[in-house]
Amino acid sequence: MISEIRKEIISNIEKEIIISQLSKNKREDGRGLFDFRDINIIPSPVEKAEGSAFVSLGKTKVLVGVKVSPASPFPDTPNEGIFVVNTEFSPVASPLFELGPPSEYAIEVARVVDRIIRSSEMIKLDELAIIPGELVWMINIDVYALDDNGNLIDASLIGALAALYVGYLPRVEIIDEEKKKIQIVKEEKYPIPLRDMPVSFTFAKIGDILLLDPTRIEENIMDARLTLAINNKGEICSVQKGEGGGFKLEDILLAKDIALKKANDIRKIINDQLVKKPRGEEAWNEIRGLAHGSNKES
Amino acid sequence: MVVVMKNNLILLDEKGRRSDGRRWNELRPVNMAVGILERADGSAIVETGKTKVLAAVYGPKEMYPKHLAMPDRAILRVAYRMASFSVEERKKPHPSRREIELSKVIKEALEPAVILEEFPRTVIDVYVLVLQADGGTRVASINAASLALADAGIPMKGLVTAIAVGRLGNQVIVDLNDLEDKYGDADMPIAYIPSTGEITLFQMDGTMPPDMFNKCLEVAIETLNKMHEFQKEALKSKYLTSKKKTNS
């Protein structure tokens, strides 16, 4: 197997302090155990992408771009569109990331995000056929981590949701159906057909303590990780357990209750920002602005 | 003024306006900010119009594999990558030959400015990510990388500043956009260390009559001095903002 270093070495004394503080419900950034960090979404900064979003979850930052292109459908789903989630965790985001093919961790995150979008049926794939059986839209969702300060899974999902939400499909003129000849009219844009917005909640288990939305330092000392995704009907639509340690049954039930309770609030925070925030060139003012404001909170 | 047209595109109109309305020596809006990433030792974002480039620097740190370390100086490594969605047609994430060549020439543009002798047996890594490409990504990368190196506190003889100049017909132009890069008559990216006067990156494609070659270089140096001011402002503003924060 590929061995990779995912965690920084942390001194026992630091670890003990963090754990003893956690047992008093105190976290390094002052949050409660089950508080999410601030979510800041900047929609559509990248004009060259059909959809894009810059997301910061506390100090964790990702940039997600959506590119659409006509492609041949899979033989078993000839009338359905295709989407692919890909993560690029380059060394820009962390000294632990390396150049080269995606790490096991990056692939895991991409597959979890893919699965959440797939099981929630967020994208109406059946509305993505161009010439049924012959040509369909392929949606590439590329997640670029820019700054890893913990919980890239939830940040990546929020980025993917946001980029899809503000994304568009260009109008297509079918010139010759037989020969699969089409013309793309970029100027005419239609929203990507979506029906649902899933949200995810990643928990960490450190000793006996369960907490939500771990920071980088908490990830470094966590024993196990659990991600639960909730669709807008209030159903659980994906689960992923990660890392070497385990969870007790009551941890999982508690995590489920918290995720269900918080799902609507998080969805509202995401929705509000997608509707209200400035887009395009103006979005970069905010991205740049994060530069000097980024030290103030976690 | 002669109208320059290529593929039914007007690159230069009779009033001397370029495809995006600029004059021959006009820069696109420039924005630079340093220290925007938490994890990297140094970082910077540089925007020239729609071209947006992010740079992150790590080091000096221990070199692995160890046999590549130099006993008398640090090694500088540069990786230039484009985000898959930074261009019109999705770019596959694995590095292209172009990205590998650009990584090399960007490294060689930065090397003369960095005082590598201060850190023997170590490595300094520079990662450049193009978030959106609209012409001039290599020069924006050099501007961003040199700011990120400075932000990481790495000793340098001076900042490395870069700009592209080029030719539309018999007109010299500065800061080429994507259309001018693709359909113009010549594209000449130049990097320069203002404090030492060294030119550290020099490339050209297209064709250039000898008299315009001189003019291009002259215009380039003039514009590079402007860009150098933007870089100094960006570095200063990081410390001015943090000072304001401490005082408030």
Side-chain angles (χ1 to χ4, degrees):
Chain A
M1 285 295 99
I2 311 156
S3 71
E4 59 186 57
I5 307 164
R6 266 286 301 141
K7 292 180 174 183
E8 279 153 290
I9 297 162
I10 240 179
S11 67
N12 282 339
I13 203 156
E14 192 176 356
K15 191 171 167 177
E16 277 160 25
I17 289 170
I18 295 169
I19 293 176
S20 82
Q21 290 299 103
L22 283 175
S23 61
K24 294 178 207 150
N25 288 349
K26 282 185 185 156
R27 291 173 80 169
E28 48 144 347
D29 55 10
R31 273 185 294 157
L33 291 181
F34 300 119
D35 290 344
F36 232 85
R37 285 170 292 177
D38 286 343
I39 299 169
N40 191 359
I41 303 174
I42 303 173
S44 295
V46 184
E47 278 174 60
K48 300 254 167 162
E50 280 80 22
S52 64
F54 181 98
V55 170
S56 65
L57 177 60
K59 287 180 185 170
T60 293
K61 300 185 188 85
V62 298
L63 179 65
V64 181
V66 164
K67 291 294 289 177
V68 301
S69 53
S72 298
F74 289 121
D76 53 338
T77 52
N79 302 326
E80 285 188 7
I82 300 165
F83 76 91
V84 184
V85 179
N86 171 54
T87 47
E88 290 295 319
F89 291 178
S90 83
V92 166
S94 164
L96 299 179
F97 296 158
E98 281 176 22
L99 289 176
S103 62
E104 284 183 349
Y105 175 61
I107 290 173
E108 183 191 18
V109 175
R111 289 192 37 95
V112 170
V113 171
D114 183 290
R115 216 158 63 223
I116 295 170
I117 295 174
R118 217 170 282 282
S119 11
S120 69
E121 300 184 333
M122 179 187 178
I123 305 174
K124 294 180 184 171
L125 293 175
D126 49 350
E127 291 182 21
L128 293 179
I130 302 170
I131 304 171
E134 298 291 337
L135 215 53
V136 297
W137 283 115
M138 170 148 103
I139 300 178
N140 275 290
I141 304 166
D142 288 304
V143 179
Y144 279 76
L146 300 183
D147 214 354
D148 175 18
N149 288 290
N151 198 4
L152 276 175
I153 297 182
D154 292 347
S156 300
L157 179 73
I158 295 168
L161 300 181
L164 285 168
Y165 184 92
V166 299
Y168 67 88
L169 297 173
R171 191 168 73 83
V172 178
E173 258 174 45
I174 297 167
I175 295 170
D176 188 337
E177 195 160 330
E178 291 284 287
K179 288 181 186 152
K180 292 198 256 178
K181 237 186 132 183
I182 57 161
Q183 192 176 355
I184 293 174
V185 188
K186 277 233 147 185
E187 293 69 36
E188 288 181 53
K189 301 171 180 178
Y190 297 93
I192 296 173
L194 304 174
R195 62 161 75 83
D196 190 4
M197 191 180 275
V199 285
S200 68
F201 296 86
T202 296
F203 296 84
K205 180 89 190 271
I206 301 172
D208 293 328
I209 302 142
L210 188 72
L211 53 85
L212 177 62
D213 183 21
T215 62
R216 175 174 59 92
I217 290 174
E218 289 163 348
E219 280 186 350
N220 274 325
I221 59 167
M222 72 183 167
D223 302 301
R225 190 195 71 216
L226 181 68
T227 302
L228 293 167
I230 313 290
N231 68 14
N232 70 349
K233 291 183 212 122
E235 295 164 332
I236 296 144
C237 65
S238 261
V239 173
Q240 179 86 344
K241 183 256 162 185
E243 304 297 316
F247 285 95
K248 295 224 173 74
L249 184 60
E250 53 264 36
D251 295 327
I252 293 174
L253 296 176
L254 176 59
K256 181 211 69 179
D257 288 342
I258 290 161
L260 286 171
K261 205 170 86 193
K262 288 186 179 274
N264 280 333
D265 295 345
I266 299 291
R267 196 173 284 121
K268 188 173 180 314
I269 290 170
I270 298 172
N271 263 320
D272 283 356
Q273 299 202 41
L274 287 175
V275 177
K276 287 176 197 153
K277 288 282 195 68
R279 299 183 181 184
E281 204 50 45
E282 251 183 276
W284 291 95
N285 289 331
E286 203 178 335
I287 293 175
R288 247 174 275 133
L290 283 174
H292 304 308
S294 67
N295 308 333
K296 70 176 190 295
E297 42 83 57
S298 254
Chain B
M1 186 67 70
V2 189
V3 181
V4 179
M5 272 183 76
K6 285 275 162 67
N7 298 23
N8 294 328
L9 271 166
I10 298 175
L11 291 177
L12 197 66
D13 70 12
E14 64 283 356
K15 287 185 190 137
R17 297 265 176 196
R18 292 153 65 179
S19 56
D20 51 12
R22 283 183 290 154
R23 298 259 167 223
W24 70 272
N25 61 350
E26 206 176 319
L27 293 168
R28 291 174 286 180
V30 178
N31 278 299
M32 298 181 180
V34 300
I36 70 163
L37 300 178
E38 170 89 8
R39 297 286 332 254
D41 297 330
S43 60
I45 187 165
V46 167
E47 304 163 47
T48 41
K50 289 179 186 173
T51 294
K52 322 271 181 187
V53 175
L54 187 69
V57 166
Y58 294 91
K61 56 181 190 179
E62 215 172 327
M63 177 75 176
Y64 290 105
K66 275 195 167 159
H67 72 270
L68 295 178
M70 300 293 279
D72 57 339
R73 63 182 175 90
I75 301 272
L76 185 70
R77 289 191 296 203
V78 174
Y80 163 99
R81 297 286 185 274
M82 294 181 98
S84 58
F85 46 77
S86 64
V87 281
E88 219 51 71
E89 191 102 342
R90 179 175 183 267
K91 195 210 144 284
K92 295 216 172 82
H94 69 90
S96 61
R97 291 170 68 86
R98 177 181 173 276
E99 285 168 304
I100 291 165
E101 189 223 351
L102 290 199
S103 302
K104 179 174 183 289
V105 296
I106 292 168
K107 178 186 78 185
E108 289 160 355
L110 297 168
E111 253 174 351
V114 184
I115 305 175
L116 295 167
E117 296 76 19
E118 291 244 340
F119 308 103
R121 293 179 300 277
T122 65
V123 62
I124 299 165
D125 276 325
V126 179
Y127 300 106
V128 176
L129 182 61
V130 177
L131 306 178
Q132 180 160 274
D134 187 37
T137 62
R138 79 191 68 190
V139 291
S141 300
I142 293 169
N143 290 327
S146 98
L147 281 175
L149 284 164
D151 183 41
I154 288 165
M156 292 158 85
K157 293 177 198 158
L159 287 166
V160 188
T161 306
I163 194 73
V165 291
R167 175 173 81 92
L168 294 177
N170 58 6
Q171 180 62 60
V172 175
I173 52 168
V174 306
D175 185 21
L176 283 69
N177 64 28
D178 197 31
L179 287 177
E180 293 165 338
D181 189 350
K182 280 195 185 103
Y183 303 112
D185 298 295
D187 167 25
M188 186 192 274
I190 300 180
Y192 173 69
I193 310 171
S195 65
T196 67
E198 281 170 278
I199 289 173
T200 62
L201 170 122
F202 191 45
Q203 294 182 299
M204 196 193 90
D205 59 16
T207 56
M208 185 80 72
D211 55 324
M212 281 192 76
F213 192 84
N214 294 8
K215 170 79 176 163
C216 271
L217 282 169
E218 199 181 294
V219 169
I221 300 290
E222 220 170 90
T223 319
L224 283 162
N225 288 326
K226 271 191 232 168
M227 291 300 282
H228 188 223
E229 291 304 311
F230 285 122
Q231 284 180 303
K232 285 195 283 186
E233 276 311 305
L235 272 177
K236 247 190 255 170
S237 93
K238 176 185 169 180
Y239 296 101
L240 291 178
T241 2
S242 45
K243 191 176 160 202
K244 219 188 290 166
K245 240 187 309 185
T246 343
N247 292 344
S248 64

